[in-house]
């Protein structure tokens, strides 16, 4: 590998699941096939890279004289979704809705309070430290803040190559890969010896991407990777991410709060509200035919850069309730204009209501009245006005 | 806030219990322990020595394990209480032990007296003890033993001094009340209050004056340095504070003592009668004069040098700290806004900047109290000032356990209290802090 | 494309480190007083270390007694045998210059040794506490609280009696009281760093806790640790000399700057100027250290660009 200057391409071509073949892991865990509510999809043969089932992450809150646990912040409270191999799954929601926690928990950077995360068929929550370390090669993360995501005391070459060092690659391999990767994200290989403060925000973000890619992972959580960047640099980084996805056959879980960015990059989009998944569908389906009132409100809030156009916006009343003590039933009922008694009594089922387009993936939504919420042409209207019908 | 206060106080109590246990345990590691001087006394025969050692061991409960001894000290410590069956039994055992090795007829007689008179006393005291179901029940033990006022340090019985003033209750020494015999001179001191006038009060006066003076000097220095940052005065004041921080207290004290106390007096006596000089030690000029203790002028003259010595490092440290926090605050937008509004310099600096710069200072001052207490030991030692420092210094030097333990507990208490005060004061002055 | 140079990570790292060091040194040099302080500390250390070579008299043996008094003023020349005492002798006739030189070995080494031990223990405890949090953190920090709520100087005196006064006693006691402060500092630093993205990133790469702590958290906490350690040296020297001055530290006949001062105090009325020497040495040493610490704080300030 070290002698081959083009080894990046060579490495690309291997199967993404390569590194965690049972033989390599030493454990012969049978691939679990869990169907049903998990993804709301039954009996299909789609290639899933990750299935998240009833994922929960609570953070304890202490108080009182004895500092007992007096409550739980339910950051993520029973989330289900699948990630198909090679796709980009966008995850949107207001800040504090738990989307970042989902990103960290599916990588087991945080240990889930409950639920399962199946990655390449194996339940991450049951892996021991050694198995987890091996698995980490296949799943990486890109961070929001390009300033805190690189160790200021370590030259960037070392940061980028650290994963290879941890996983026992030789120095030659490391140097070669680091160089190729830096080149791949548009930096000079000679920059390897420089320190993070010598780079701009966009450059740092690309260094972060290079670091995530050196181990040739198959799955990457991109946690708001462009939110902290200047608008002028955002598209540059997004394009790099897209190019790399094709080149390395990557799967992205793309977390963002900016709907335009998500629309630009995602194949499917999930909407989260207060630790729960509200709606998940193909991008076009979701933008054209949003069924969850919350999704509709979000979409109607996309700003239109044309003062002449008047559009009815859905203005949500009140504030986001505290995740410490979330509302009963449907979490959105306190702010929903369609809410009825059942919404506060009963938690809506996470169900497939079918796409408009028959060939599309399931349209999952958690709303009692999903069938009656069709807003004809809302998204189309927005799109026409925005002119953002961006095709990938 | 109330919840926080309760929790903080409970923590404080817990810390005090642990600290006292730790201190007690550490002091018990001493070779020879409290009977060090019993071991060192000359004896005619080995048997006599063994008997005396054995007697002292039993008397001070050293044959018990450390936990029992600690609990005994904590809530049932009084080796001289006749209602305390443990003490009576110990005394009796010790007498029996000593009897075998004693040749001195007079001593034999007094031992014989104990051996014959104690059994009924022990029996009745034990009978009282038998009604106490639980020895570790603090609340009921005192009353069921019939020794409500002698229930160890938690009920206010801090024991009696062993060496500094043998037999005098420690609290009397600390609060300067009651009569006692000064062991170092062998003189019976009938009215110790005239001599000591409460070491605790003396030290508190010294410390409070020191804090006051430090604040009065440090604050203007800090504010001025910050406002005139990088001016020549600022550099000079910064240099001064570096000198102050680096100056060893004892050396500074000695120099002052030699210069203002001795050299000035020499020059004064040699003819420079205009030259004032300061007293070199003590709380008053003449310890036998009761009147001097209430003479503020005399007391102040004796306080000048100790207060200056004790204040030096806090003046230096606090002014530097205030300078830093003032600089921080002066950079804030709201101060710039105040300038922009056209407010007077005085208003901006004192009302907008200083108020906020003082917030962290509050904690610093509260936390300095235990440090000052430590500094008081050195200062009082140099100026022979009759305070807690001198008392502690004597106690450590003479291995006077009850006194040492008591003063250590008091200073631990001081540390814990000042920590709590620091936190609370911080919450009061800084409206942003919300404890729950 | 021509990738001519082979990347030698080690080489580059060391080259970079070198330049980082030179940047720090350049910023340090701006503080003239700190540079002077460094010179003073260096000279005193050198003179102390070589005391065996140049001191004129045995520091522990009383060499002078006129019959009337044992102490001699500075510059005294004994007419009977021609012995000259440049700085005079102490209360029992020992050469003050020699005692100061030997005392420097003890005072300086106590300061350095305690600082080293405190830095090691404090860093380990602080890093573990801050990184792992939870129960471990609670237990360790309660211990820290406990030690910090012991009254420092009174306990120092009491423990010195308990353990028997001497060099190692002082080192042990000062270390025992010193580490909690450093561990709080390190814990705070680790706490502020451990949730930063670069630590998460390293964890996501599969790094072990040990690697995260030693390669990322501690190097980033180094600046405050170094400054704290520097200032500790002065603190320990003052603490040791205070205790020795009070008679509970380094015990006779060995000398430390503190107990020399105590010995000279006895003859203060006859030879007051003698008292200058030991105190001046302590003062100069601590002052220099404080200047150095202050300069290091500026030079290592992470907010400034390297």
């Amino acid at each position: 590998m070290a002698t081959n200057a083009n080894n990046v391409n060579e490495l690309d071509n291997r199967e993404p699941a390569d590194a965690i073949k049972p033989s390599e892991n030493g454990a012969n865990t049978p691939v679990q096939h869990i169907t049903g509510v998990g993804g709301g999809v039954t009996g299909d043969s789609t290639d899933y890279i990750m299935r998240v089932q009833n994922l929960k992450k609570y953070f304890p809150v202490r108080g009182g004289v004895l500092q007992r646990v007096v409550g739980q912040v339910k950051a993520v409270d029973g989330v289900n979704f699948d990630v198909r191999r090679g796709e980009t799954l966008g995850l949107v929601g207001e800040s504090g809705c738990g989307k970042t926690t989902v990103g960290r928990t599916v990588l087991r950077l945080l240990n889930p309070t409950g639920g399962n995360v199946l990655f390449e068929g194996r339940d991450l929550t049951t892996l021991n430290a050694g198995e987890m370390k091996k698995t980490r090669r296949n799943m990486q993360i890109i961070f929001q803040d390009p300033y805190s995501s690189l160790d200021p005391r370590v030259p960037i070459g070392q940061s980028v190559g650290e994963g290879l060092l941890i996983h026992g690659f030789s120095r030659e391999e490391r140097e070669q890969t680091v160089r190729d990767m830096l080149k791949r994200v548009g930096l000079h290989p000679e920059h390897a010896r420089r320190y993070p403060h010598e780079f701009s925000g966009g450059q740092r973000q690309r260094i972060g991407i290079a670091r995530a890619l050196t181990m040739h992972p198959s799955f990457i959580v991109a946690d708001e990777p462009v939110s902290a960047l200047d608008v002028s640099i955002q598209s540059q980084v997004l394009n790099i991410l897209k190019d790399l996805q094709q080149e390395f056959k990557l799967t992205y879980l793309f977390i963002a709060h900016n709907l335009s960015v998500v629309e630009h990059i995602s194949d499917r989009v999930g909407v989260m509200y207060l630790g729960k998944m509200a709606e998940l569908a193909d991008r076009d389906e979701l933008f054209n035919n949003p069924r969850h009132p919350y999704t509709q409100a979000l979409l109607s809030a996309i700003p239109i850069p044309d003062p002449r156009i008047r559009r009815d916006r859905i203005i949500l009343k009140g504030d986001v309730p505290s995740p410490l003590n979330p509302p009963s039933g449907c979490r959105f009922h306190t702010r929903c204009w369609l809410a009825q008694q059942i919404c506060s009594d009963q938690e809506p089922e996470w169900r497939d209501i079918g796409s408009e387009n028959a060939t599309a993936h399931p349209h999952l939504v958690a709303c009692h009245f999903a069938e009656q919420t069709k807003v004809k042409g809302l998204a189309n209207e927005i799109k026409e006005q925005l002119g953002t019908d961006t095709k990938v | 806030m109330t919840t926080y206060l309760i929790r903080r106080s409970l923590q404080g109590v817990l810390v005090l219990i642990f600290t006292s246990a730790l201190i007690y345990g550490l002091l018990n590691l001493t070779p020879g322990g409290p009977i060090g001087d019993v071991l060192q006394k000359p004896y005619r025969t080995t048997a006599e020595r063994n008997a005396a050692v054995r007697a002292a061991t039993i008397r001070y409960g050293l044959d018990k394990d450390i936990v029992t001894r600690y609990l005994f000290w904590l809530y049932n410590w009084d080796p001289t209480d006749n209602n305390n069956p443990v003490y009576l039994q110990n005394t009796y055992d010790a007498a029996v032990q000593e009897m075998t090795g004693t040749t001195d007829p007079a001593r034999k007689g007094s031992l014989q007296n104990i051996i014959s008179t104690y059994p009924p006393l022990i029996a009745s005291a034990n009978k009282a003890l038998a009604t106490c179901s639980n020895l570790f029940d603090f609340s009921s033990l005192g009353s069921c033993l019939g020794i409500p006022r002698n229930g160890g340090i938690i009920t206010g019985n801090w024991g009696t001094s062993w060496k500094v003033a043998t037999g005098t209750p420690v609290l009397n020494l600390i609060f300067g009340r009651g009569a006692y015999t000064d062991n170092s001179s062998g003189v019976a001191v009938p009215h110790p209050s005239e001599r000591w006038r409460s070491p605790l009060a003396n030290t508190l006066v010294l410390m409070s004056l020191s804090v006051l003076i430090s604040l009065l000097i440090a604050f203007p220095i800090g504010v001025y340095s910050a406002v005139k940052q990088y001016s020549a005065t600022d550099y000079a004041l910064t240099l001064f504070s570096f000198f102050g921080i680096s100056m060893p207290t004892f050396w500074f004290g000695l120099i002052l003592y030699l210069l203002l106390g001795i050299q000035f007096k020499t020059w004064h006596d040699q003819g420079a009668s205009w030259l004032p000089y300061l007293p070199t030690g003590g709380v008053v000029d003449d310890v036998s004069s009761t009147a001097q203790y209430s003479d503020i002028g005399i007391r102040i003259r004796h306080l000048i040098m100790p207060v200056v010595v004790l204040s030096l490092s806090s003046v230096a440290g606090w002014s530097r700290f205030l300078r830093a926090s003032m600089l921080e605050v002066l950079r804030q937008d709201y101060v710039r806004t105040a300038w922009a509004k056209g407010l007077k310099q005085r208003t901006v600096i004192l009302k907008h900047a200083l108020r906020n710069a003082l917030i962290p200072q509050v904690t610093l001052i509260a936390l300095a109290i235990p440090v000052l207490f430590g500094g008081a030991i050195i200062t009082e030692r140099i100026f022979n000032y009759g305070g807690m420092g001198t008392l502690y210094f004597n106690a450590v030097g003479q291995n006077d356990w009850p006194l040492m333990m008591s003063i250590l507990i008091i200073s631990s208490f001081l540390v814990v209290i000042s920590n709590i005060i620091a936190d609370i004061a911080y919450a009061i002055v800084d409206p942003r802090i919300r404890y729950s | 494309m021509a990738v001519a140079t082979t990347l030698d990570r080690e080489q580059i790292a060391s080259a970079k480190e070198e330049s980082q060091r030179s940047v720090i040194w350049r910023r340090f040099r701006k503080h003239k007083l700190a540079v002077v302080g460094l010179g003073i500390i260096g000279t005193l250390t050198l003179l102390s270390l070589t005391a065996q070579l140049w001191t004129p008299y045995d520091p522990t043996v009383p060499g002078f007694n006129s019959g009337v008094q044992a102490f001699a003023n500075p510059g005294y020349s004994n007419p009977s045998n021609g012995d000259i005492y440049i700085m005079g002798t102490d209360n029992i006739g020992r050469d003050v210059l020699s005692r100061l030189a030997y005392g420097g070995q003890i005072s300086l080494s106590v300061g350095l040794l305690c600082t080293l031990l405190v830095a090691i223990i404090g860093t380990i405890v602080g890093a573990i506490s801050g990184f792992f949090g939870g129960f471990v953190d609670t237990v360790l920090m309660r211990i820290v609280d406990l030690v910090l709520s012991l009254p420092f100087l009174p306990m120092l005196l009491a423990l010195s009696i308990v353990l028997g006064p001497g060099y190692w006693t002082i080192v042990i006691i000062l270390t025992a009281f010193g580490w909690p402060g450093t561990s709080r500092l390190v814990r705070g630093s680790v706490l502020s760093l451990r949730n930063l993205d670069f630590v998460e990133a390293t964890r996501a790469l599969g790094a072990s806790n040990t690697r995260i702590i030693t390669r990322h958290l501690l190097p980033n906490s180094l600046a405050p640790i170094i400054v704290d350690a520097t200032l500790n040296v002065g603190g320990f020297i003052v603490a040791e000399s205070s205790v020795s001055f009070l008679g509970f530290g380094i015990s006779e006949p060995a000398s430390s700057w503190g107990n020399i001062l105590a010995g000279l105090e006895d003859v203060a009325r006859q030879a007051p100027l003698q008292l200058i020497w030991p105190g001046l040495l302590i003062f100069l040493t601590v002052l220099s250290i404080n200047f150095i610490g202050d300069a290091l704080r500026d030079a290592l300030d992470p907010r400034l660009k390297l």
Side-chain angles (χ1 to χ4, degrees):
Chain A
M1 193 202 289
T3 51
N4 187 345
N6 289 323
N7 67 328
V8 174
N9 289 327
E10 184 191 282
L11 280 166
D12 296 343
N13 294 336
R14 68 182 179 173
E15 281 293 308
D18 199 30
I20 55 159
K21 273 181 190 163
S23 59
E24 244 186 81
N25 282 313
N28 239 331
T29 321
V31 174
Q32 300 174 45
H33 284 294
I34 297 172
T35 52
V37 185
V41 196
T42 45
D44 68 343
S45 55
T46 318
D47 188 10
Y48 295 111
I49 193 164
M50 177 174 277
R51 313 196 74 170
V52 175
Q53 296 164 338
N54 199 21
L55 186 70
K56 288 179 181 166
K57 178 66 192 176
Y58 299 165
F59 295 99
V61 178
R62 289 171 192 281
V65 172
L66 294 174
Q67 291 291 287
R68 288 228 186 86
V69 176
V70 292
Q72 308 269 8
V73 171
K74 296 176 175 173
V76 177
D77 195 12
V79 161
N80 297 289
F81 64 90
D82 298 328
V83 186
R84 290 145 204 267
R85 192 178 302 287
E87 77 166 348
T88 298
L89 175 61
L91 202 53
V92 291
E94 293 164 279
S95 53
C97 73
K99 53 191 194 300
T100 294
T101 311
V102 167
R104 304 276 158 110
T105 316
V106 299
L107 295 182
R108 245 188 89 182
L109 290 174
L110 291 172
N111 277 322
T113 310
N116 307 93
V117 177
L118 302 182
F119 179 70
E120 302 282 13
R122 305 184 75 208
D123 190 349
L124 291 184
T125 56
T126 62
L127 295 186
N128 64 29
E131 292 167 332
M132 199 58 223
K133 182 180 169 186
K134 273 181 194 153
T135 310
R136 291 210 180 280
R137 286 176 57 179
N138 295 290
M139 37 196 276
Q140 280 300 310
I141 179 164
I142 299 168
F143 294 94
Q144 171 179 8
D145 181 3
Y147 290 90
S148 72
S149 63
L150 292 169
D151 187 337
R153 301 253 161 205
V154 175
I156 60 127
Q158 231 169 298
S159 279
V160 172
E162 185 165 15
L164 299 167
L165 180 70
I166 290 165
H167 290 278
F169 286 78
S170 74
R171 188 205 274 187
E172 288 74 25
E173 284 172 313
R174 291 201 313 261
E175 282 158 6
Q176 188 63 51
T177 314
V178 167
R179 273 211 303 229
D180 291 337
M181 271 304 154
L182 287 179
K183 230 183 298 168
R184 187 59 200 78
V185 296
L187 291 162
H188 261 290
E190 283 72 25
H191 287 168
R193 68 186 70 172
R194 295 200 184 161
Y195 284 81
H197 67 79
E198 298 173 63
F199 296 93
S200 70
Q203 284 175 318
R204 284 164 175 236
Q205 200 58 304
R206 291 183 309 198
I207 295 165
I209 294 170
R211 172 178 59 195
L213 286 177
T214 41
M215 302 214 288
H216 299 286
S218 48
F219 175 70
I220 287 185
V221 172
D223 186 4
E224 310 228 15
V226 296
S227 312
L229 301 178
D230 287 349
V231 180
S232 56
I233 307 170
Q234 287 191 356
S235 59
Q236 176 200 355
V237 170
L238 284 177
N239 287 332
I240 287 180
L241 285 174
K242 280 199 158 189
D243 294 347
L244 291 170
Q245 181 169 36
Q246 284 177 359
E247 194 178 332
F248 293 83
K249 299 191 170 47
L250 295 169
T251 307
Y252 288 138
L253 176 61
F254 193 96
I255 298 166
H257 60 256
N258 184 335
L259 285 166
S260 324
V261 169
V262 169
E263 195 197 355
H264 176 69
I265 199 159
S266 308
D267 298 311
R268 289 194 303 146
V269 177
V271 178
M272 277 188 78
Y273 181 76
L274 212 60
K276 289 255 184 206
M277 205 62 124
E279 190 162 9
L280 174 66
D282 275 1
R283 176 191 55 182
D284 293 339
E285 168 78 14
L286 190 100
F287 277 78
N288 289 324
N289 184 21
R291 288 302 186 77
H292 197 290
Y294 178 64
T295 316
Q296 294 173 350
L298 270 189
L299 291 180
S300 84
I302 296 178
I304 304 165
D306 187 340
R308 287 164 304 178
I309 295 171
R310 292 264 171 263
R311 169 160 56 90
D312 287 336
R313 285 197 184 177
I314 303 165
I315 308 290
L316 291 178
K317 56 187 180 205
D319 290 321
V320 185
S322 159
L324 189 62
N325 189 15
S328 61
C330 175
R331 299 216 165 165
F332 189 56
H333 82 256
T334 54
R335 306 171 76 193
C336 185
W337 60 96
L338 297 171
Q340 308 209 356
Q341 189 56 42
I342 185 175
C343 297
S344 51
D345 293 344
Q346 210 175 317
E347 205 176 320
E349 199 189 333
W350 181 233
R351 62 210 169 101
D352 180 10
I353 56 158
S355 288
E356 285 191 317
N357 181 349
T359 59
H361 298 113
H363 186 148
L364 297 155
V365 64
C367 176
H368 292 296
F369 302 108
E371 281 76 10
Q372 295 136 47
T373 57
K374 196 153 178 167
V375 185
K376 198 64 202 160
L378 171 70
N380 280 336
E381 179 200 337
I382 298 168
K383 268 190 188 160
E384 280 157 22
Q385 290 157 356
L386 276 173
T388 55
D389 198 357
T390 39
K391 272 286 158 248
V392 187
Chain B
M1 185 71 191
T2 318
T3 321
Y4 177 77
L5 266 181
I6 296 171
R7 195 175 79 232
R8 204 69 185 72
S9 312
L10 284 181
Q11 272 177 2
V13 171
L14 219 64
V15 165
L16 264 182
I17 291 174
F18 273 110
T19 342
S20 66
L22 194 66
I23 295 174
Y24 191 87
L26 286 171
L27 288 194
N28 269 274
L29 292 174
T30 323
I35 57 168
D37 71 304
V38 177
L39 291 172
Q40 282 160 16
K41 261 191 218 157
Y43 296 98
R44 275 170 295 206
T45 64
T46 317
E48 190 176 347
R49 181 179 189 278
N50 288 346
V53 169
R54 177 74 191 137
T57 306
I58 295 172
R59 187 175 192 281
Y60 295 127
L62 295 183
D63 52 339
K64 310 277 189 309
D65 66 279
I66 181 98
V67 179
T68 312
R69 265 193 282 157
Y70 170 67
L71 291 173
F72 205 55
W73 170 81
L74 192 67
Y75 68 90
N76 194 20
W77 196 98
D78 188 9
T80 57
D81 192 288
N82 278 334
N83 291 318
N84 183 343
V86 185
Y87 161 67
L88 293 172
Q89 186 68 50
N90 283 347
T91 317
Y92 176 79
D93 290 352
V96 173
Q97 281 283 334
E98 199 178 341
M99 199 64 175
T100 57
T102 309
T103 46
D104 179 9
R107 181 72 185 142
K108 265 193 144 130
S110 69
L111 291 174
Q112 191 58 54
N113 188 33
I114 291 176
I115 292 168
S116 56
T117 55
Y118 270 46
L121 286 176
I122 295 169
S124 70
N126 265 326
K127 210 169 145 192
L129 182 65
T131 62
C132 309
S133 49
N134 187 359
L135 265 181
F136 294 99
D137 182 355
F138 300 130
S139 53
S140 67
L141 188 71
S143 56
C144 79
L145 282 180
I147 45 168
R149 294 183 55 76
N150 295 319
I153 64 153
I154 56 168
T155 59
N157 184 344
W158 292 54
T160 51
S161 163
W162 286 346
K163 300 293 289 294
V164 172
T166 311
T168 310
V170 165
L171 286 185
N172 282 7
L173 279 180
I174 289 171
F175 289 114
R177 53 184 191 209
Y180 72 96
T181 307
D182 183 355
N183 260 44
S184 49
S185 58
V187 177
V189 182
H191 301 293
S193 57
E194 284 170 18
R195 193 176 151 204
W196 289 101
R197 207 47 85 130
S198 177
L200 186 61
N202 285 346
T203 296
L204 289 180
V205 166
L206 175 60
M207 281 167 64
S208 345
L209 272 179
S210 175
V211 169
L212 197 71
I213 301 278
S214 303
L215 290 179
L216 285 178
I217 301 175
F219 276 23
I221 292 183
V223 172
Y224 189 86
S225 295
V227 174
K228 306 266 169 175
Q229 195 191 7
Y230 301 136
S231 69
T233 323
D234 176 35
Y235 277 117
L237 290 173
T238 303
L239 202 64
F240 157 77
S241 60
F242 264 101
F243 276 58
I245 294 166
S246 313
M247 184 76 79
T249 318
F250 52 91
W251 187 51
F252 182 57
L254 279 178
I255 289 175
L256 274 195
Y257 165 88
L258 284 176
L259 188 68
L260 301 183
I262 297 187
Q263 199 59 52
F264 272 37
K265 185 175 190 316
T266 314
W267 284 331
H268 178 91
D269 294 348
Q270 282 168 356
S273 50
W274 50 271
L275 197 67
Y277 61 92
L278 289 168
T280 54
V283 181
V284 290
D285 293 338
D286 180 5
V287 291
S288 61
S289 157
T290 315
Q292 290 204 347
Y293 281 94
S294 42
D295 185 329
I296 306 249
I298 291 179
R299 299 286 298 250
I300 286 180
R301 264 162 47 82
H302 281 262
L303 272 165
I304 293 176
M305 282 202 286
V307 166
V308 168
V309 170
L310 198 54
S311 306
L312 180 72
S313 66
S314 41
V315 168
W318 293 351
S319 64
R320 218 172 143 58
F321 192 83
L322 185 65
R323 175 182 180 270
S325 48
M326 269 301 272
L327 285 176
E328 191 75 30
V329 170
L330 285 172
R331 275 199 293 268
Q332 302 292 318
D333 283 343
Y334 60 81
V335 174
R336 255 184 245 151
T337 312
W339 286 118
K341 278 197 293 188
L343 294 181
K344 274 181 289 184
Q345 181 179 21
R346 199 186 150 76
T347 319
V348 175
I349 290 169
L350 294 183
K351 206 171 155 212
H352 293 266
L354 182 61
R355 270 194 178 186
N356 287 291
L358 284 181
I359 290 172
Q361 198 82 30
V362 169
T363 314
L364 199 73
I365 293 164
L367 294 181
I369 289 169
V371 178
L372 281 175
F373 193 82
I377 295 182
I378 297 175
T379 311
E380 292 180 8
R381 145 83 176 72
I382 291 170
F383 297 105
N384 194 24
Y385 183 87
M388 294 289 278
T390 309
L391 199 58
Y392 184 72
F393 188 75
N394 290 336
V396 176
Q398 297 179 38
N399 218 353
D400 191 331
W401 269 37
L403 198 50
M404 253 162 95
M405 275 304 298
S406 303
I407 298 177
L408 283 173
I409 295 297
I410 289 176
S411 32
S412 302
F413 186 71
L414 213 59
V415 179
V416 171
I417 288 287
S418 12
N419 278 330
I420 296 178
I421 289 176
D423 285 356
I424 296 171
Y426 201 68
I428 291 172
V429 292
D430 191 343
R432 288 168 302 183
I433 304 285
R434 284 275 169 273
Y435 292 118
S436 60
Chain C
M1 87 239 120
V3 185
T5 49
T6 325
L7 273 174
D8 188 338
R9 197 173 53 81
E10 240 80 343
Q11 215 167 48
I12 287 160
S14 70
K16 190 68 204 180
E17 209 132 277
E18 197 51 54
S19 84
Q20 261 187 344
R21 258 183 227 144
S22 70
V23 170
I24 291 169
W25 172 237
R26 198 189 63 226
R27 293 208 305 227
F28 181 88
R29 249 181 357 202
K30 280 193 209 141
H31 295 250
K32 296 281 179 290
L33 289 172
V35 178
V36 173
L38 211 55
I40 291 175
I41 296 279
T43 313
L44 288 180
T45 312
L46 197 71
L47 286 176
S48 297
L49 283 178
T50 56
Q52 273 82 346
L53 302 177
W54 61 266
T55 49
Y57 304 102
D58 187 326
T60 57
V61 178
F64 170 73
N65 194 338
S66 69
V68 184
Q69 60 183 36
F71 83 93
N73 277 310
Y76 180 84
S77 168
N78 192 343
S80 58
N81 56 12
D83 283 352
I84 296 174
Y85 301 98
I86 299 170
M87 290 186 176
T89 65
D90 67 4
N91 51 337
I92 56 170
R94 293 172 299 194
D95 179 40
V96 169
L97 180 62
S98 308
R99 282 184 73 70
L100 284 174
Y102 281 87
Q105 291 180 350
I106 288 181
S107 291
L108 291 173
S109 70
V110 166
L112 289 172
L113 194 60
C114 290
T115 301
L116 193 70
L117 292 173
V118 160
I120 293 172
I121 298 172
T123 302
I124 292 174
V125 172
I128 290 175
S129 192
F131 184 77
F132 291 103
F135 182 70
V136 180
D137 180 39
T138 309
V139 170
L140 288 175
M141 284 307 111
R142 288 298 85 79
I143 296 175
V144 164
D145 288 347
L146 198 62
V147 179
L148 287 180
S149 53
L150 291 172
F152 175 61
L153 196 68
M155 276 310 280
L156 216 58
L157 302 187
L159 284 177
S160 167
I161 291 291
V162 169
L163 301 174
Y167 184 86
W168 290 107
T169 301
I170 283 294
V171 170
I172 290 169
I173 300 174
L174 289 181
T175 307
F177 279 97
W179 69 267
T182 305
S183 75
R184 266 197 184 167
L185 178 89
V186 177
R187 174 177 176 269
S189 172
V190 166
L191 266 182
S192 69
L193 291 167
R194 77 163 180 189
N195 288 326
L196 289 184
D197 288 345
F198 72 80
V199 178
E200 290 274 36
T202 318
R203 199 194 309 278
L205 293 169
S208 62
N209 289 335
T210 319
R211 184 178 176 86
I212 293 174
I213 293 174
T214 56
R215 296 299 175 87
H216 296 282
L217 297 181
L218 289 184
N220 278 288
S221 314
L222 209 57
I225 295 176
I226 289 175
V227 173
D228 172 68
T230 310
L231 297 175
N232 272 347
V233 178
F236 286 133
I237 288 176
V238 169
E240 178 273 316
S241 53
S242 304
V243 178
S244 297
F245 170 74
L246 292 176
F248 297 92
I250 304 298
S251 41
E252 298 275 347
S255 61
S256 101
W257 291 341
N259 73 10
I260 297 172
L261 192 61
L264 293 173
E265 195 196 358
D266 290 348
V267 293
R269 282 173 190 257
Q270 295 98 316
L273 292 179
Q274 289 269 65
L275 281 179
I276 301 285
W277 307 118
L280 190 66
L281 287 185
I282 301 169
F283 175 61
L284 275 182
T285 308
V286 177
L287 187 65
S288 305
I289 288 166
N290 284 338
F291 280 137
I292 294 170
D294 198 54
L296 276 179
R297 199 197 308 272
D298 278 358
L300 296 174
D301 191 344
R303 281 176 299 184
L304 300 172
K305 279 197 162 188
L306 280 173

